[in-house]
Amino acid sequence: MEPLFGLVLGLMLAVASPAHDSCTCATNKWAVCAQEGPGNCTCRLAGSHHPVDCSTLTSKCFLMKAEMIPPKEKRLWRPPQAVSATDGMYNPDCEDSGVFKARQCNQSSTCWCVNTAGVRRSERGGSSLSCSELVRTRWIYIELTHKRSSSAFAVAAVAEALTQLFESRYKLHPKYIAAIKYEPPLIQIRLDQNKKPSWDVDIADVAYYFEKDVNNDSVFPSNRKLTVSVNGDALAIEKLGIYYVDEKPPEFSMRQLVAGIGAVVTVVLLTAGIGIAVLLVLRWLRTRTYKKFECKEMREIKAPSLE
């Protein structure tokens, strides 16, 4: 009887083990997953307990919040004070749906307005700063270069490979890829998404996932590394730049612009003043040398007549 019981128990463990191993999130390595019954794998965002839909991308706001929390399994923790060093990394306030709140603040009660990509679009202010709406980022421009050691590819092949990449890896519908331009080694991609239905991914989330992939800090599990190939040849991405364009102009005041223009004018005036001063000194030195030479010649001419 005991051998039979052991056999049954072994079969049960063998069946349960794959189910346990499969309880992972395919689109977010920071999600914490747990098997809550046969075929019921629940994943939540680390530190916030927000449920994660692993069939699509996690919102950028939730991802940034997860990055500020140091779970044991993460390789690197960016401390909360990183907000004072750059606008790109801060602990954001998110709506329950995962979108950014229009106003973001840090621990020192400094606040600013952001767009749907979480990018600052206003000057910093105090806790009384008001952000009337969350302005949508409609266009995203991605510029990247491949290593010059790589040979140039056909333009159509590059466009096809990147379109397939964004569709298969980031779940982005091709209709949101407005243009792909290739002038070796520069590749330019324009994403255009005026309105986003609930079933489509946001281009801001796509751009963030792509940026993390290129910078070797992928949000995907380690078994889903980014590989880009064009007709079987690897496309080695070297540099990446991402630029955001909102439906409405940013709300920066003219003070910052005037200060920047004033600094430029000051530098130009100082440079011009130094240049003029140098020219005047050189002219004075040349004139002085010429007068000395002229006086010496006059003395030499007058000397014979005195004998």
Side-chain angles (χ1 to χ4, degrees):
M1 186 68 181
E2 290 182 359
L4 180 60
F5 175 77
L7 179 61
V8 173
L9 180 60
L11 290 174
M12 290 176 63
L13 291 175
V15 172
S17 180
H20 181 268
D21 293 340
S22 64
C23 188
T24 57
C25 187
T27 58
N28 191 337
K29 67 180 180 182
W30 296 325
V32 178
C33 302
Q35 194 80 37
E36 298 182 352
N40 185 13
C41 177
T42 302
C43 297
R44 298 185 182 277
L45 194 65
S48 64
H49 303 293
H50 283 284
V52 176
D53 182 0
C54 295
S55 66
T56 186
L57 304 186
T58 305
S59 73
K60 181 181 177 180
C61 190
F62 282 164
L63 289 177
M64 289 178 63
K65 179 171 285 294
E67 286 184 88
M68 304 304 293
I69 300 169
K72 294 180 180 180
E73 68 273 11
K74 289 178 59 175
R75 294 179 292 105
L76 180 66
W77 173 50
R78 293 183 176 93
Q81 58 267 29
V83 64
S84 61
T86 174
D87 294 331
M89 180 55 61
Y90 60 92
N91 191 357
D93 292 325
C94 310
E95 301 287 356
D96 291 338
S97 60
V99 301
F100 288 90
K101 290 187 177 181
R103 191 185 74 162
Q104 299 291 329
C105 301
N106 61 15
Q107 294 179 346
S108 62
S109 299
T110 300
C111 301
W112 60 93
C113 302
V114 300
N115 55 22
T116 53
V119 178
R120 184 166 66 92
R121 51 173 282 108
S122 74
E123 290 184 342
R124 295 184 179 89
S127 56
S128 61
L129 177 69
S130 176
C131 303
S132 59
E133 61 177 328
L134 181 66
V135 179
R136 177 159 188 77
T137 296
R138 178 176 178 180
W139 295 286
I140 293 182
Y141 292 84
I142 301 174
E143 294 184 356
L144 56 94
T145 58
H146 63 71
K147 292 183 179 179
R148 293 184 178 273
S149 58
S150 302
S151 58
F153 303 97
V155 176
V158 170
E160 181 180 356
L162 290 174
T163 300
Q164 183 179 0
L165 172 73
F166 278 83
E167 183 178 9
S168 60
R169 186 173 179 86
Y170 307 112
K171 315 299 182 184
L172 183 67
H173 196 285
K175 66 182 179 182
Y176 298 124
I177 304 176
I180 297 178
K181 186 177 181 180
Y182 176 48
E183 295 178 356
L186 176 65
I187 302 174
Q188 295 174 303
I189 307 170
R190 193 185 80 184
L191 306 181
D192 186 348
Q193 191 178 50
N194 185 19
K195 294 182 180 180
K196 188 193 81 66
S198 59
W199 55 84
D200 282 336
V201 296
D202 195 301
I203 57 174
D205 301 337
V206 172
Y208 195 65
Y209 265 78
F210 184 61
E211 180 182 12
K212 303 289 278 185
D213 274 339
V214 173
N215 292 334
N216 293 321
D217 188 22
S218 180
V219 181
F220 292 105
S222 57
N223 61 346
R224 294 192 61 189
K225 292 184 178 180
L226 175 66
T227 55
V228 185
S229 61
V230 180
N231 290 335
D233 295 326
L235 181 69
I237 299 175
E238 190 172 29
K239 295 181 180 179
L240 174 69
I242 300 179
Y243 307 91
Y244 304 88
V245 181
D246 298 341
E247 290 180 338
K248 297 181 180 180
E251 300 170 357
F252 295 103
S253 69
M254 293 299 293
R255 287 182 301 173
Q256 189 175 6
L257 180 61
V258 170
I261 294 175
V264 173
V265 171
T266 301
V267 172
V268 171
L269 290 177
L270 285 174
T271 304
I274 293 173
I276 293 173
V278 170
L279 289 175
L280 290 175
V281 171
L282 291 175
R283 183 177 180 184
W284 177 75
L285 290 174
R286 284 198 301 268
T287 304
R288 185 181 179 186
T289 303
Y290 176 76
K291 286 183 177 180
K292 286 184 177 180
F293 180 75
E294 186 179 32
C295 292
K296 183 178 179 181
E297 282 189 338
M298 291 298 294
R299 285 196 302 268
E300 290 176 353
I301 292 173
K302 291 180 179 180
S305 63
L306 292 176
E307 290 180 353

